[in-house]
Amino acid sequence: MWKERKGKLKRAIYPGSFDPVTCGHLDIIKRASRIFDELYVVVFENVGKSPLFTAEERVEMLVEACKGMENVKVSCSSGLLVDFARKHGIQVIIKGLRAVSDFDYEFKMALMNKKLAPEVDTLFMMTSVEYLFLSSSLVKETVSYGGCVEGLVPPNVLPKLRDKFRRHS
Ligand code: ADP
């Protein structure tokens, strides 16, 4: 018999750019939120990327998309991931894996994070097969040429994307 979990809450963080959140991200969020007591979904400002949406817009879209998931907290940070984890008593970093191409970068990042914070573990979750090809950048590229991404991003994101590209064109 499994014992009832006592004491310390199991907290995880799912970090990303979420520029914008896709159904692939949302699928990982739903699955991880069933495993952990609390899941922090955090928009990280990435110095190497120039985002389409501001951090505030990305947080807003995530909050809306995660409505009803009681143990999911959305926020943003510009600092170091492991510092955020330590500050909030988070033991696990969740990463989504789509293909071998994700693995090389994520593997190095996981080892660096382990070096910086040995008490925090990285856990990789496989994408669901229907989202294998899906990335925020592909979504943006498709919409920029007038393509339809219905079913690939949460419904609240669709008008925001259209609006951005209308203004950009
Ligand atoms: P991207 O711009 O590549 O979509 P993000 O930085 O927003 O990336 O991604 C955050 C996390 O979500 C990463 O761990 C990434 O591997 C994962 N992820 C992104 N898209 C998917 C997907 N379709 N299925 C599973 N995981 C995904």
Side-chain angles (χ1 to χ4, degrees), residues 14-19 22 24-25 28 49 95-98 102 106 127 131 134-137:
Y14 179 41
S17 315
F18 305 109
D19 187 39
T22 68
H25 294 132
I28 298 282
K49 288 184 184 174
K95 290 295 184 101
L97 279 186
R98 282 160 292 194
D102 279 341
E106 295 293 357
T127 181
Y131 305 125
L134 185 57
S135 68
S136 298
S137 39

Side-chain angles (χ1 to χ4, degrees), residues 23-81:
C23 292
H25 294 132
L26 209 54
D27 174 63
I28 298 282
I29 294 171
K30 280 183 193 150
R31 288 158 58 202
S33 71
R34 290 199 288 262
I35 300 172
F36 293 92
D37 299 312
E38 290 180 357
L39 179 68
Y40 287 75
V41 178
V42 185
V43 171
F44 275 86
E45 303 277 20
N46 186 331
V47 283
K49 288 184 184 174
S50 43
L52 177 65
F53 292 96
T54 66
E56 291 71 30
E57 287 171 324
R58 287 179 271 158
V59 166
E60 252 175 55
M61 288 185 278
L62 271 165
V63 167
E64 179 73 21
C66 296
K67 243 186 204 157
M69 295 187 224
E70 300 298 333
N71 61 340
V72 173
K73 293 179 188 189
V74 180
S75 60
C76 75
S77 172
S78 53
L80 207 52
L81 172 58

